[in-house]
Amino acid sequence: MSKELSELEKTLQRTKKEFLTTAKRATRELDRQRKKLRAEIKRTNARATRTRAQLQRKSERLASTTATKAKRELRKQIRGLEKMLDAARDDAAQLRKDLVPVMDDLANARTHLSHALHIDRALAKVRRQLMGKPPAKKKATGKKVAKKKTTKKKVAKKKVAKKKVAKKKVAKKKATGKKVAKKKTAKKKAVRKTAARKKAPGARNAA
């Protein structure tokens, strides 16, 4: 079983390398085509701009000239410039159409390349499944969540217990204060009674 797994791993590594080289080659080629088409579109637009400017100048000269021979020559040149301008427009439109599938293929190639670069994770997952080792990360996260919940409950219980102890202390202080006040009042009453008794015989003797 271990030999089969090692052979399968070697095959997967070889396939990964081949896939990476193919994806990189396709991406480079499509990127080269994209740059080439964009440069051609730029040149075609510049040619159309130059032709339009020449056509405008020829039209202005045709309007200002009076000789029939010069007019005939200018009309001929204007027709040629109009044909060049139409051809440049057609070329630019065709190049834009050709650029659309190249851009789509380039986007797909880049997506495949990104998947190929992250294929190690998939290989590790397949290796775990073949070895029969279940992923332990999810269980650990579940345990962490349970621990967090229990700690929160413990903290809440401790807070409640502290509040109860504080209330009990306040009640004890109040009770002790009341007892002390009662004792003081009892002592005062006893002192008053003894003083009244001492005064009573003196009053009798005077009578």
Side-chain angles (χ1 to χ4, degrees), residues 68-84:
T68 55
K69 188 177 180 181
K71 284 183 177 181
R72 195 181 300 117
E73 187 66 25
L74 285 170
R75 286 194 185 98
K76 186 178 179 180
Q77 290 177 4
I78 287 169
R79 283 195 296 270
L81 289 170
E82 286 175 348
K83 287 180 181 179
M84 287 174 64

Side-chain angles (χ1 to χ4, degrees), residues 1 39 45-46 51 57 73 168 189:
M1 188 68 182
N45 288 332
T51 306
R57 286 196 298 270
E73 187 66 25
K168 285 180 180 178
K189 287 180 180 179

